[in-house]
C-alpha cells in the first residue's frame, strides 16, 4: 500500500545574481521584514585542498584572515563590527571557507568594506603567523586532545573510509605541520585560493538591490582580478570489503561507535543522493525513528544514536566523495558487534518490507519544516547557504526548492538506498572507554 505524501512548506526568497568584471560572483536575497542583514563571503578552498605536509593550513589561514588587512590594523575588524552592533565569525569546511557578519542594515557598507579589504590581502606577518599557530594548537588541545570523544568521528573515521590524502587527512592539522608553516606558505596560499574569481559574496536581509549592487561594485570592483584555480578531482574507489578500527579514548566515560558508507555524488547525482538524506532521518530523528526505537528504547543497546550525511553534518554543502554516517554511544557493558548486527537487521527490514503508512510523510514534513524555520529563516543562514549553493552548483535559488525536492523522494528510492548500506561497504571506528569506573 503506498504511503501518504507529505504536505511540504515552501519558501520563495527572491534571488538576484551578478558577476563582477574581476570574477567575483554576487548573490543578493532581499527581505525587508526586519532591519538586519547577513553578509557572507565563501572561498572555494577547504580542508581537502591542503597540500601534504601542510595539514591544518586551511583552518590556520582562516585565523590569519582576522589579523588585519590592507587598510586595517589587527583587531580593527572586530572593533568595527561589534561597534556597529554586529557579530562575526568564520569557519573552515571540507570544501570551502566562509567569513560572515550579521549587522543592522544601516551598517551594510561597513561590512562590504571590511570583506573587500581582506579580499585584497590580509596582513601576513611572522608575528601574526606564530601567534595564530599557537591559537590553533590550543584549539586542538581543547577540542580534540583534552575532550572526551575529541575528533570523533569527523577526524577519526575518514582515514578508515578513504585512502587518499585529501579525503583522509586530519583537517585540524598536526603540530609539526602547523609549526613548520611560513609566511611565504601563507602568501602562496592566499594568491592561489583567495582570488576574487574563487569567491562568492552573498548579502541577505533588509537591502535595496540597486543600492547594494552599487556598493558592491564600489568596494569589490577594484579588487585585482585573479582566476579561480583548477579544482582537482578528489574521487576515489568505493570500499570492496569492510574496514574496522578501534582506539582507546582515555577521557571517554562510555564506549562509542561510528560507521560510514559512501553515497552518490551530491552535486552530479543529486536525485540519487537525496534518498540517503531522508533515510538518515527515518532511522534516527525522533523517538519514533527506527534505530532510536530499536536500539535505545527496546534493546537498550545504546544510550543515543544519530545519523547524517557528510562528516561535518550538513548534507547540502559538501562535494563528492562524501558519506552516510551512523554513530552511537553505548552503556559501559555495551556490545558493538550486537549494535552493528542490529543496524544491519533494521536496514534489511526497511529495504525488504518498506516504510509504514505515514512514516515517510511524517519524516519529510519534519525535515522541510526544520529546513525552512531553523536553517533558512535567519538572514545570515540564508546568506551562507545561498553562497555555498552558488559556489558549488551555480544555483543559489535551490534553497527555495529543497523542501519540495525532499518531499518528492519516494519510498522506493529510500528502500533502495537502505539496500546499498551493506557491511562490505562499511567503515567503522570504535571508541573504547578509557575512564576507570
Amino acid at each position: 500500500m503506498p504511503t501518504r505524501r507529505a504536505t511540504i512548506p515552501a519558501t520563495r526568497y527572491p534571488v538576484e545574481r551578478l558577476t563582477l568584471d574581476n570574477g567575483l560572483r554576487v548573490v543578493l536575497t532581499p527581505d525587508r521584514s526586519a532591519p538586519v542583514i547577513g553578509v557572507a563571503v565563501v572561498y572555494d578552498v577547504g580542508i581537502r585542498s591542503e597540500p601534504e605536509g601542510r595539514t591544518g593550513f586551511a583552518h590556520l589561514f582562516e585565523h590569519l584572515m582576522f589579523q588585519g588587512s590592507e587598510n586595517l590594523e589587527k583587531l580593527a575588524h572586530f572593533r568595527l563590527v561589534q561597534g556597529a552592533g554586529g557579530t562575526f565569525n568564520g569557519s573552515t569546511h571540507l570544501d570551502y571557507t566562509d567569513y560572515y557578519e550579521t549587522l543592522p542594515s544601516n551598517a551594510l557598507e561597513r561590512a562590504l568594506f571590511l570583506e573587500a579589504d581582506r579580499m585584497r590581502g590580509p596582513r601576513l606577518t611572522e608575528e601574526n603567523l606564530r601567534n595564530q599557530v599557537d591559537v590553533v594548537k590550543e584549539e586542538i588541545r581543547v577540542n580534540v586532545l583534552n575532550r572526551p570523544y575529541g575528533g570523533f568521528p569527523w577526524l577519526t573515521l575518514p582515514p578508515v573510509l578513504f585512502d587518499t590524502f585529501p579525503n583522509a587527512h586530519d583537517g585540524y592539522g598536526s603540530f609539526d605541520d602547523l609549526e613548520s608553516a611560513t609566511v611565504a606558505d601563507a602568501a602562496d596560499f592566499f594568491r592561489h585560493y583567495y582570488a576574487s574569481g574563487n569567491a562568492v559574496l552573498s548579502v541577505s536581509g533588509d537591502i535595496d538591490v540597486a543600492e547594494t549592487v552599487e556598493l558592491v561594485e564600489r568596494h569589490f570592483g577594484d579588487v585585482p582580478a585573479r582566476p579561480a584555480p583548477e579544482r582537482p578531482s578528489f574521487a576515489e574507489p568505493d570500499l570492496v570489503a569492510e574496514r574496522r578500527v578501534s582506539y582507546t579514548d582515555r577521557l571517554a566515560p562510555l564506549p562509542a561507535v561510528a560507521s560510514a558508507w559512501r553515497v552518490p555524488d551530491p552535486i552530479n547525482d543529486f536525485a540519487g543522493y537525496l534518498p540517503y538524506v531522508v533515510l538518515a532521518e527515518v532511522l534516527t530523528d525522533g523517538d519514533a525513528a527506527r534505530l532510536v526505537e530499536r536500539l535505545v528504547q527496546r534493546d537498550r543497546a545504546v544510550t543515543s544514536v544519530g545519523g547524517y550525511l557528510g562528516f561535518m553534518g550538513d548534507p547540502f554543502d559538501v562535494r563528492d566523495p562524501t558519506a552516510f554516517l551512523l554513530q552511537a554511544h553505548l552503556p559501559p557493558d555495551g556490545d558493538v558487534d550486537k549494535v552493528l548486527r542490529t543496524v544491519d537487521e533494521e536496514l534489511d527490514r526497511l529495504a525488504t518490507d518498506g516504510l509504514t503508512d505515514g512514516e515517510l510523510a511524517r519524516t519529510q514534513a519534519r525535515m522541510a519544516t526544520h529546513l525552512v524555520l531553523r536553517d533558512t529563516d535567519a538572514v545570515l543562514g540564508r546568506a551562507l547557504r545561498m553562497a555555498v549553493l552558488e559556489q558549488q552548483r551555480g544555483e543559489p535559488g535551490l534553497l527555495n526548492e529543497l523542501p519540495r525536492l525532499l518531499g518528492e523522494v519516494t519510498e522506493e528510492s529510500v528502500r533502495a538506498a537502505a539496500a546499498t548500506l551493506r557491511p562490505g561497504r562499511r567503515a567503522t571506528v570504535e571508541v573504547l572507554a578509557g575512564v576507570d569506573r
Side-chain angles (χ1 to χ4, degrees):
M1 183 175 69
T3 59
R4 288 174 290 176
R5 299 303 298 268
T7 300
I8 301 297
T11 59
R12 294 182 176 84
Y13 299 120
V15 181
E16 300 285 344
R17 303 169 66 213
L18 64 144
T19 301
L20 303 190
D21 291 343
N22 57 16
L24 177 67
R25 286 176 284 169
V26 181
V27 178
L28 306 178
T29 174
D31 176 359
R32 312 305 294 266
S33 61
V36 180
I37 56 165
V39 176
V41 177
V42 174
Y43 294 89
D44 199 342
V45 57
I47 291 168
R48 281 199 262 226
S49 301
E50 295 170 345
E52 293 192 51
R54 286 294 177 264
T55 58
F57 205 87
H59 177 232
L60 173 62
F61 198 86
E62 174 213 317
H63 280 246
L64 290 172
M65 286 285 279
F66 288 96
Q67 303 306 301
S69 53
E70 185 173 273
N71 293 297
L72 295 170
E73 72 277 11
K74 190 172 183 176
L75 302 182
H77 192 109
F78 299 55
R79 186 178 68 254
L80 290 169
V81 173
Q82 293 173 339
T87 61
F88 65 93
N89 212 330
S91 58
T92 306
H93 301 253
L94 291 177
D95 295 306
Y96 67 92
T97 305
D98 57 29
Y99 304 87
Y100 49 88
E101 296 86 15
T102 303
L103 287 155
S105 54
N106 61 8
L108 171 61
E109 185 166 14
R110 180 177 300 204
L112 297 177
F113 164 74
L114 292 172
E115 290 298 348
D117 203 59
R118 63 178 166 188
M119 186 178 285
R120 292 186 183 88
R123 294 200 176 193
L124 302 177
T125 67
E126 185 67 23
E127 177 187 1
N128 285 343
L129 176 60
R130 299 275 68 88
N131 173 268
Q132 291 309 302
V133 165
D134 289 342
V135 170
V136 171
K137 287 168 60 179
E138 184 59 22
E139 188 175 328
I140 294 170
R141 293 186 187 100
V142 171
N143 291 338
V144 180
L145 301 179
N146 295 312
R147 171 178 291 187
Y149 313 105
F152 170 79
W154 78 278
L155 293 179
T156 57
L157 193 47
V160 186
L161 181 64
F162 297 119
D163 293 318
T164 63
F165 175 81
N167 297 319
H169 77 276
D170 181 346
Y172 248 140
S174 73
F175 281 11
D176 286 345
D177 283 357
L178 291 168
E179 289 167 352
S180 65
T182 67
V183 173
D185 292 332
D188 183 65
F189 195 83
F190 175 79
R191 282 192 299 270
H192 192 66
Y193 293 111
Y194 278 70
S196 54
N198 206 38
V200 175
L201 165 68
S202 179
V203 184
S204 176
D206 184 22
I207 59 172
D208 176 274
V209 170
E211 292 177 1
T212 304
V213 169
E214 181 183 347
L215 290 173
V216 167
E217 291 177 337
R218 180 187 307 168
H219 290 284
F220 287 89
D222 63 351
V223 174
R226 302 200 312 279
E230 182 176 349
R231 187 178 183 277
S233 170
F234 297 127
E236 60 176 277
D238 195 0
L239 298 188
V240 295
E242 184 176 14
R243 294 180 180 179
R244 186 166 167 181
V245 301
S246 64
Y247 68 94
T248 298
D249 183 336
R250 62 184 177 85
L251 299 176
L254 296 171
V257 64
S259 294
W261 297 259
R262 292 279 297 277
V263 294
D265 186 332
I267 306 297
N268 296 318
D269 186 12
F270 197 45
Y273 174 79
L274 282 177
Y276 291 87
V277 181
V278 175
L279 175 62
E281 303 293 312
V282 168
L283 292 174
T284 66
D285 186 31
D287 290 343
R290 292 188 173 223
L291 291 182
V292 176
E293 192 278 330
R294 174 74 187 275
L295 288 170
V296 179
Q297 298 173 357
R298 192 201 314 177
D299 295 353
R300 299 189 183 279
V302 304
T303 59
S304 65
V305 62
Y308 49 95
L309 274 290
F311 286 95
M312 304 187 88
D314 190 326
F316 304 121
D317 72 352
V318 67
R319 293 183 172 114
D320 192 61
T322 188
F324 179 103
L325 284 85
L326 291 173
Q327 69 179 77
H329 289 79
L330 285 69
D333 58 350
D335 184 339
V336 168
D337 290 322
K338 180 180 178 181
V339 170
L340 294 177
R341 285 196 303 272
T342 302
V343 168
D344 292 337
E345 290 173 11
E346 289 299 319
L347 288 169
D348 287 343
R349 185 166 70 91
L350 195 158
T352 301
D353 299 337
L355 290 89
T356 61
D357 185 37
E359 185 178 11
L360 180 60
R362 181 179 65 247
T363 300
Q364 291 169 316
R366 185 170 59 245
M367 293 176 71
T369 299
H370 287 174
L371 188 65
V372 171
L373 297 181
R374 182 188 63 194
D375 295 339
T376 66
D377 188 50
V379 292
L380 179 60
R382 222 173 301 154
L384 284 166
R385 280 197 176 275
M386 285 197 176
V388 175
L389 290 171
E390 169 65 37
Q391 181 190 81
Q392 297 183 350
R393 303 168 183 269
E395 295 182 78
L398 183 63
L399 187 65
N400 288 319
E401 302 299 319
L402 286 177
R404 177 184 61 79
L405 293 171
L406 288 170
E408 291 176 352
V409 171
T410 65
E411 177 184 356
E412 292 73 21
S413 65
V414 174
R415 292 175 63 178
T420 69
L421 304 185
R422 309 305 304 159
R425 300 182 57 243
R426 179 172 62 203
T428 297
V429 60
E430 178 182 356
V431 180
L432 307 176
V435 174
D436 294 331
R437 302 185 63 86

